[in-house]
């Protein structure tokens, strides 16, 4: 118990898994907590005694799943192993903490998502500035940045999506914690100067960190915390990348969510996101990099063009692309494999995978090199120099020479070192099966020497190996035989050689396992020593994979290379929405143009009835901009993108199904962020802003916001509204253009054409949509009647009896049209209903109308 308490004292905030024989046991409050969370039976140690210690346990072979469950619930688990064989221990078996598993530091393949990084983040504050650092312990990817303010930090945390965040003062981070709902851990942080020194020693980042104190503090905290989780192994961190958030498009949490870049708004699924449509990568590092490219679109034109060059080069080479995709498919996750070797958690199977991956590299490098020619050389981005370094070839040779073709998943049972690689291994293997070969050899040699044909080498438990000689030949027994036993038919002897052999056989199994493990550790150490080269190779492959994937998607879906420059024009010909298009049958999606220009056509006011395609149109424009700036081709016939510095989107509360009601405040706060944060270079997408409040408020707010964007901000803006009153803005503001989602009225039906045309919508069509939705004819008729009255009034507010706010006609409905449906309809307060409530009400109305 002393040992246990020592460990617990060092890790008071963690659940200690304490190895006792075949179990990991937990004690005291850990036991109570874990028993509840994991559904384990709580027992007590020293049963019957007063204040008996509560305990519970899990079998060691099943521990992995339990540890994963606890960390997914936000707990930290300390793994304390027996580091000495109980057989040889004098007194207490030595135990050591071998690993700490936390939500942010998790190495289990079963839990890790191959397609996304698992970051441990740290934040630190200095005056108004914040530092952010994050590390993926599985790959060693390590980044840090200085962030201007708390709101920006919250947005960056949303983009990074860490699994655990470290901070010096949790209370001071209350607002951040409310936005980033993952476990936060309080840690002590060191001073900036010490942090910079530490990082300079460890990851050579001293110079880059100069003048970036909070980033250095955060990075040092992350590194130290991560290191403390691996007392037995090194971290695969070799470099800290200090990045400037302004070098990529600023995307806040709302924009990432609304544009469904990496997951859907409803259900948070990957399927249905832009990332899912774009991802045809063949490797896990490629998938992770693609996600990063998408979330960090570039603003530097030259850099963007380099990516387009690479994608275009691959688009033009479909044959090479197919070959590359096949070759990439046979390459494993080099980044994580290298990480595992460094962390000391690689299995023989992992190293076999690494060997096979490395084997595929030279062929792949040659393919790319042969793909270029004098006119159209291999693009800069696809420079595969890191894949040609001798270190990789050496590593491959070492792995190939050492490992069997199909290494097992476990180290402890041996059987992974190739025959002929090591004398000890070969000898032990020969002996381990009872030393049959040696015994046969000794037997025939002794037969020869003694000329006794019936001589036999045998084994029993009492003497071990012995030589048996029948009575008639005893006269020929050599002097060096030592008599052991007389039996009925003869005598049994041993020799020093047999005694030695016996000793070897007995220990062969153990020696073999130990030697294999030793060789394997050395092999992993060799790999770890070249981790930097492996990481660089992995990175080059990931870029190749992403570019190939973008090219593949471009060709499969008919995307084009956009023209990108520093201007303020955005011009799209026949643009399509990449996700909706992918979900529809070929050719079913209706393409649309878009022209925005900060100097002339700055604001597009998009009107049109519900379901006509306004939101789709605006999102597709934002998607095309982001795709262009991440370096991809775009779903359009042609596109010209003047680089955007930020992309903002806001969706009116009533349109935002994922949030429900009472979010008008949120909507307004987000609108305020846009008005304060957008520049002339930004792209702003406002979808039905103001819908979360009453109609009059809504129109007024939308109006004022549009004016402000025009007069004070100057950002290229798409502004959808179902308040067609707003169309009048184009008369008073020079850079406002009206467009609308066209519909055709056909025999009293409306048909959505999905075409965005010049000019505002002539009317709102709300009633037509209501009819399409199946509202009873009497309701529709009455609604038309009310609308007529409203439009008849010179002002919206002119008719005191007919307040739009409540849509409650105060005049008595005509007897002829009075019905329970009308009455019920009249009672509805549309402005205060969530979409779901509205649908439910609609369903009730329908039932009512049928009855
Ligand atoms: P609104 O915002 O005007 O209410 P949406 O943009 O949400 O309309 O579009 C409603 C539906 O119409 C979409 O879910 C999509 O299925 C379809 N749609 C929109 N635009 C197009 C288009 N250009 N081509 C084909 N279908 C479209
Ligand atoms: Mg919409």
């Amino acid at each position: 118990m002393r040992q246990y308490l020592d460990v617990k004292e060092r890790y008071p905030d963690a659940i200690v898994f304490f190895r006792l024989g075949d179990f990991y046991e937990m004690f005291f409050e850990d036991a109570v907590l874990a028993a509840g969370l994991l559904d384990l039976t709580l027992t007590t140690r020293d049963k019957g005694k007063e204040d008996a210690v509560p305990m519970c346990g899990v079998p060691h072979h099943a521990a992995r799943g339990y540890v994963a469950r606890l960390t997914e619930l936000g707990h930290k688990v300390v793994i304390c192993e027996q580091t000495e064989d109980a057989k040889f221990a004098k007194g207490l078996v030595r135990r050591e903490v071998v690993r700490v598993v936390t939500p942010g530091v998790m190495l289990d393949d079963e839990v890790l998502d191959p397609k996304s990084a698992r970051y441990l983040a740290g934040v630190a504050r200095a005056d108004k500035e914040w530092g952010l650092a994050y590390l993926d312990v599985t790959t060693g990817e390590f980044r840090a940045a200085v962030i201007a303010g708390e709101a920006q930090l919250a947005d960056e945390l949303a983009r990074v999506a860490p699994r655990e965040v470290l901070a010096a003062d949790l209370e001071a981070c209350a607002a951040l914690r409310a936005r980033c709902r993952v476990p936060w851990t309080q840690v002590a942080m060191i001073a900036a100067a010490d942090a910079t020194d530490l990082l300079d020693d460890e990851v050579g980042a001293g110079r880059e960190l100069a003048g970036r104190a909070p980033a250095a503090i955060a990075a040092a905290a992350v590194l130290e915390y991560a290191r403390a989780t691996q007392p037995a192994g090194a971290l695969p961190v070799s470099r800290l990348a200090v990045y400037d958030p302004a070098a990529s498009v600023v995307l806040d949490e709302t924009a990432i969510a609304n544009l469904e870049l990496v997951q859907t708004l409803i259900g948070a699924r990957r399927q249905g996101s832009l990332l899912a449509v774009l991802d045809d990568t063949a490797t896990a590092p490629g998938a992770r990099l693609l996600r990063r490219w998408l979330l960090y679109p570039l603003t530097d034109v030259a850099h963007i063009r380099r990516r387009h060059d690479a994608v275009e080069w691959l688009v033009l080479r479909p044959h090479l692309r197919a070959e590359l995709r096949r070759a990439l498919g046979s390459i494993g996750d080099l980044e994580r494999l290298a990480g595992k070797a460094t962390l000391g958690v690689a299995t023989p199977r992992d190293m076999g995978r690494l060997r096979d991956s490395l084997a595929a590299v030279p062929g792949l490098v040659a393919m790319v090199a042969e793909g270029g020619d004098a006119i159209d050389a291999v693009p800069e981005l696809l420079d595969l120099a890191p894949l040609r370094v001798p270190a990789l070839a050496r590593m491959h040779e070492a792995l190939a020479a050492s490992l069997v073709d199909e290494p097992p998943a476990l180290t402890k049972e041996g059987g992974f070192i190739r025959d002929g690689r090591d004398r000890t291994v070969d000898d032990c293997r020969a002996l381990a099966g009872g030393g049959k070969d040696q015994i046969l050899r000794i037997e025939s040699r002794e037969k020869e020497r003694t000329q006794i044909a019936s001589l036999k080498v045998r084994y029993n438990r009492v003497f071990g190996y012995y030589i048996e000689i029948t009575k008639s030949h005893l006269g020929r027994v050599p002097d060096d035989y030592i008599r052991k036993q007389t039996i009925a038919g003869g005598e049994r002897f041993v020799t020093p050689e047999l005694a030695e052999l016996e000793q070897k056989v007995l220990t062969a199994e153990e020696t073999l396992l130990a030697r294999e493990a030793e060789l394997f550790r050395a092999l992993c150490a060799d790999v770890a020593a070249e981790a930097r080269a492996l990481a660089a190779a992995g990175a080059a492959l990931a870029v190749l994979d992403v570019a190939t994937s973008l090219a593949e998607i471009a060709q499969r879906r008919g995307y084009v290379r956009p023209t990108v420059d520093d201007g303020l024009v955005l011009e799209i010909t026949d643009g399509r929405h990449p996700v909706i298009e992918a979900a529809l049958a070929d050719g079913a999606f209706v393409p649309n143009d878009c022209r925005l220009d900060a100097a002339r056509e700055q604001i597009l006011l998009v009107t049109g009835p519900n379901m006509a395609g306004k939101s789709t149109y605006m999102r597709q424009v934002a998607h095309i901009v982001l795709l262009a700036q991440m370096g991809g081709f775009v779903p359009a016939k042609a596109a010209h993108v003047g680089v955007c510095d930020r992309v903002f989107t806001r969706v009116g509360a009533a349109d935002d199904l994922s949030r429900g009601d009472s979010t008008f405040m949120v909507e307004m706060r987000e609108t305020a962020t846009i008005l304060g944060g957008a520049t002339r270079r930004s792209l702003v997408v406002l979808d039905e802003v103001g819908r979360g409040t009453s109609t009059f408020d809504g129109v007024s707010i939308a109006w004022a916001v549009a004016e402000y964007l025009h007069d004070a901000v100057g950002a290229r803006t798409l502004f959808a509204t179902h308040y067609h009153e707003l169309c009048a803005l184009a008369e008073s503001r020079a850079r406002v253009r009206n467009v609308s989602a066209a519909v055709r009225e056909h025999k009293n039906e409306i048909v959505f054409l999905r075409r965005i045309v010049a000019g505002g919508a002539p009317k709102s069509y709300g009633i037509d949509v209501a009819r399409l939705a199946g509202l009873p004819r009497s309701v529709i008729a009455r609604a038309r009647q009310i609308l007529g009255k409203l439009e008849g009034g010179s002002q919206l507010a002119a008719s005191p009896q007919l307040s739009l706010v409540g849509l409650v006609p105060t005049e008595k409905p005509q007897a002829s049209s009075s019905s329970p449906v009308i009455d019920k309809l009249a009672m509805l307060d549309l402005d205060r209903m969530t979409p779901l409530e509205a649908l439910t009400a609609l369903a009730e109305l329908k039932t009512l109308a049928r009855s």
Side-chain angles (χ1 to χ4, degrees):
M1 225 46 203
R2 184 70 258 149
Q3 254 182 350
Y4 172 81
L5 292 170
D6 281 348
V7 173
K8 188 65 198 173
E9 199 178 298
R10 272 159 46 217
Y11 299 93
D13 60 339
I15 296 174
V16 176
F17 270 45
F18 195 72
R19 183 70 178 263
L20 285 174
D22 284 340
F23 278 80
Y24 289 105
E25 302 288 359
M26 288 153 270
F27 301 105
F28 299 105
E29 62 272 37
D30 283 3
V32 178
L33 178 66
L37 294 174
L38 300 175
D39 208 6
L40 300 171
T41 315
L42 193 63
T43 60
T44 52
R45 200 176 149 86
D46 310 324
K47 272 202 192 78
K49 273 198 197 166
E50 267 179 72
D51 44 74
V53 177
M55 69 181 263
C56 65
V58 298
H60 76 97
H61 56 82
R64 190 170 166 168
Y66 289 110
V67 172
R69 271 161 68 191
L70 288 173
T71 49
E72 291 306 280
L73 289 167
H75 294 280
K76 200 166 160 180
V77 178
V78 168
I79 311 290
C80 184
E81 286 290 356
Q82 285 166 207
T83 47
E84 177 177 46
D85 196 321
K87 267 190 288 189
F88 306 117
K90 299 187 191 71
L92 223 49
V93 181
R94 191 150 33 89
R95 287 189 176 79
E96 272 165 36
V97 171
V98 294
R99 181 158 297 117
V100 182
V101 188
T102 82
V105 185
M106 151 62 71
L107 308 177
D108 190 340
D109 284 335
E110 306 267 319
V111 179
L112 291 171
D113 172 6
K115 290 184 170 233
S116 45
R118 192 168 183 110
Y119 293 123
L120 165 72
V123 299
R125 183 180 190 155
D127 299 322
K128 282 222 138 58
E129 278 184 345
W130 286 84
L132 167 68
Y134 48 98
L135 167 67
D136 181 346
V137 177
T138 67
T139 61
E141 181 193 357
F142 191 20
R143 296 177 192 272
V146 173
I147 315 270
E150 187 168 321
Q152 288 87 333
L153 176 59
D155 287 329
E156 190 61 6
L157 280 171
R159 174 147 68 167
V160 171
R163 303 302 289 259
E164 180 179 4
V165 187
L166 311 177
D169 182 353
L170 293 190
E171 266 160 44
C173 294
L176 286 168
R177 283 162 60 203
R179 295 259 320 260
C180 181
R181 299 191 163 277
V182 298
W184 282 62
T185 306
Q186 185 149 348
V187 297
M189 294 200 177
I190 57 179
D194 298 337
T196 310
D197 285 349
L198 175 94
L199 293 164
D200 204 21
D201 288 349
E202 307 271 336
V203 287
R207 204 153 36 86
E208 291 164 84
L209 286 166
R212 292 187 162 108
I217 297 170
V222 165
L223 192 61
E224 296 213 303
Y225 182 86
R227 167 138 342 116
T229 63
Q230 311 297 322
L235 292 177
V237 184
S238 57
R239 202 177 89 80
L240 172 66
V242 181
Y243 71 100
D244 176 8
S248 56
V249 177
V250 177
L251 280 173
D252 59 19
E253 186 174 6
T254 323
I256 294 171
N258 281 338
L259 293 173
E260 306 193 301
L261 296 186
V262 293
Q263 60 182 32
T264 56
L265 259 178
I266 299 166
R269 279 170 294 106
R270 183 186 159 95
Q271 194 58 41
S273 68
L274 181 57
L275 180 61
V277 168
L278 292 183
D279 188 359
D280 198 37
T281 54
T283 69
R288 297 196 292 268
L289 184 67
L290 179 69
R291 184 192 172 91
R292 191 163 181 93
W293 279 24
L294 178 60
L295 288 176
Y296 290 83
L298 305 171
T299 51
D300 177 60
V301 171
H303 197 173
I304 295 170
R305 286 188 187 146
R306 275 202 295 279
R307 288 190 182 170
H308 288 157
D309 286 344
V311 175
E312 181 169 64
W313 191 81
L314 287 159
V315 163
L316 295 173
R317 289 163 173 75
H319 181 66
L320 169 66
R321 214 167 58 231
E323 276 181 39
L324 276 179
R325 283 155 50 76
R326 209 169 310 121
L328 284 165
S330 65
I331 293 184
D333 191 337
L334 287 189
E335 296 172 351
R336 281 197 172 150
L337 289 171
K340 283 173 140 189
T342 307
L343 288 158
V345 297
T347 67
R349 186 163 293 165
D350 290 331
M351 289 301 101
R353 189 98 183 85
L354 179 59
R355 171 199 59 200
D356 300 343
S357 303
L358 291 173
V361 164
L364 187 139
V365 171
M367 267 178 225
V368 174
E370 283 160 22
D373 54 47
I375 310 146
D376 198 4
V378 179
E380 198 180 329
L381 199 73
L382 303 184
D383 173 19
L384 299 184
L387 292 171
R388 285 193 302 260
V389 296
L392 295 188
R394 274 203 308 272
M395 199 184 299
H396 174 252
E397 244 169 66
L399 290 165
S402 294
L403 293 175
V404 299
D405 289 347
E406 309 231 341
L410 294 176
T411 325
K412 64 168 184 253
E413 278 156 25
F416 41 85
I417 298 295
R418 193 178 274 289
D419 285 337
R421 162 73 178 80
D422 181 75
R423 266 295 291 276
T424 312
V425 169
D426 291 349
D427 291 351
C428 288
R429 273 211 186 116
L431 286 168
K436 287 192 196 77
D437 288 356
Q438 261 101 327
I439 285 164
L440 284 177
R441 216 177 313 131
I442 292 173
E443 198 176 73
S444 63
R445 193 193 64 212
E446 292 301 306
K447 275 181 188 168
E448 183 88 1
R449 177 158 84 106
T450 57
Q451 293 297 310
I452 305 172
S454 62
L455 179 148
K456 286 209 169 59
V457 178
R458 290 217 164 112
Y459 177 83
N460 76 20
R461 277 166 188 269
V462 185
F463 306 126
Y465 289 101
Y466 57 85
I467 297 173
E468 196 169 292
I469 312 265
T470 49
K471 258 187 200 146
S472 50
H473 298 106
L474 284 173
R476 266 184 269 165
V477 168
D479 291 345
D480 54 337
Y481 281 23
I482 304 156
R483 188 190 313 271
K484 269 285 168 185
Q485 190 188 25
T486 306
I487 52 166
E491 305 225 344
R492 289 172 175 175
F493 303 86
V494 297
T495 66
E497 185 188 19
L498 276 181
E500 195 185 320
L501 174 66
E502 183 184 326
Q503 196 51 42
K504 274 196 192 155
V505 168
L506 287 178
T507 54
E509 188 76 20
E510 255 167 63
T511 314
L512 174 63
L513 289 181
R515 180 64 182 157
E516 283 204 67
E518 184 184 338
L519 288 168
F520 186 68
R521 270 195 305 276
L523 200 57
C524 287
D526 287 348
V527 170
E530 300 290 359
R532 205 181 272 250
L534 263 182
L541 281 172
V543 170
L544 179 65
D545 192 12
V546 170
T548 307
S549 171
L550 288 174
E552 182 69 22
I553 295 293
Q555 192 170 56
R556 198 182 302 160
R557 302 196 183 280
Y559 293 4
V560 299
R561 177 176 182 154
T563 309
V564 175
D565 61 25
D566 277 320
L568 292 169
V569 172
L570 172 60
E571 188 156 27
I572 298 166
T573 310
D574 278 353
R576 286 122 48 204
H577 188 296
V579 180
I580 295 186
E581 173 188 51
L584 294 179
D586 275 357
F589 191 88
V590 180
N592 276 300
D593 297 348
C594 175
R595 187 182 158 89
L596 278 168
D597 175 351
R600 289 185 295 143
E601 292 134 295
Q602 181 214 330
I603 299 182
L604 282 188
L605 213 57
V606 189
T607 47
N610 255 329
M611 288 301 288
K614 301 184 296 297
S615 302
T616 305
Y617 174 66
M618 299 200 303
R619 283 183 182 159
Q620 94 191 15
V621 172
H623 278 164
I624 288 172
V625 166
L626 293 176
L627 265 169
Q629 292 189 223
M630 78 178 272
F633 280 22
V634 299
K637 200 171 264 172
H640 175 171
V641 177
V643 162
C644 297
D645 62 350
R646 293 145 198 244
V647 173
F648 291 100
T649 73
R650 216 48 80 224
V651 174
D655 229 33
D656 186 348
L657 293 169
S658 68
R659 283 182 167 165
D661 57 356
S662 81
T663 50
F664 179 62
M665 182 67 187
V666 176
E667 185 195 327
M668 285 300 109
R669 204 179 294 136
E670 292 175 353
T671 307
T673 310
I674 299 184
L675 298 186
T679 74
R680 226 165 107 77
R681 243 201 194 280
S682 308
L683 177 69
V684 175
V685 173
L686 291 171
D687 198 351
E688 310 268 13
V689 163
R691 249 182 105 166
T693 184
S694 75
T695 306
F696 293 136
D697 284 2
V699 177
S700 322
I701 290 170
W703 193 294
V705 165
E707 277 186 1
Y708 187 85
L709 282 164
H710 181 276
D711 301 348
V713 179
R716 283 163 287 176
T717 303
L718 289 155
F719 197 125
T721 179
H722 69 298
Y723 302 128
H724 57 289
E725 295 86 354
L726 249 64
C727 293
L729 254 177
E731 285 154 32
S732 65
R733 292 295 186 284
R735 298 187 306 279
V736 175
R737 296 284 181 277
N738 281 314
V739 295
S740 53
V743 294
R744 197 175 57 209
E745 291 185 72
H746 177 68
K747 290 191 200 145
N748 246 342
E749 296 273 304
I750 65 165
V751 180
F752 298 118
L753 301 178
R754 313 288 186 212
R755 289 216 53 93
I756 302 296
V757 296
K763 56 176 199 164
S764 84
Y765 295 97
I767 294 174
D768 305 80
V769 175
R771 185 164 44 77
L772 280 185
L775 237 59
R777 218 174 296 166
S778 61
V779 177
I780 300 296
R782 174 61 178 150
R784 284 203 200 284
Q785 200 179 13
I786 296 171
L787 181 69
K789 287 215 167 110
L790 283 172
E791 287 180 342
S794 57
Q795 299 282 304
L796 270 175
S799 171
Q801 311 100 302
L802 278 176
S803 157
L804 247 190
V805 178
L807 201 68
V808 185
T810 46
E811 62 174 323
K812 254 221 149 337
Q814 314 252 300
S816 63
S817 62
S818 176
S819 83
V821 179
I822 301 285
D823 294 343
K824 179 133 184 131
L825 186 64
M827 299 292 289
L828 299 180
D829 183 354
L830 297 183
D831 286 315
R832 278 175 233 285
M833 292 174 96
T834 66
L836 201 63
E837 285 165 354
L839 272 178
T840 316
L842 193 57
E844 283 169 10
L845 281 170
K846 186 167 172 159
T847 320
L848 211 55
R850 285 224 175 114
S851 63

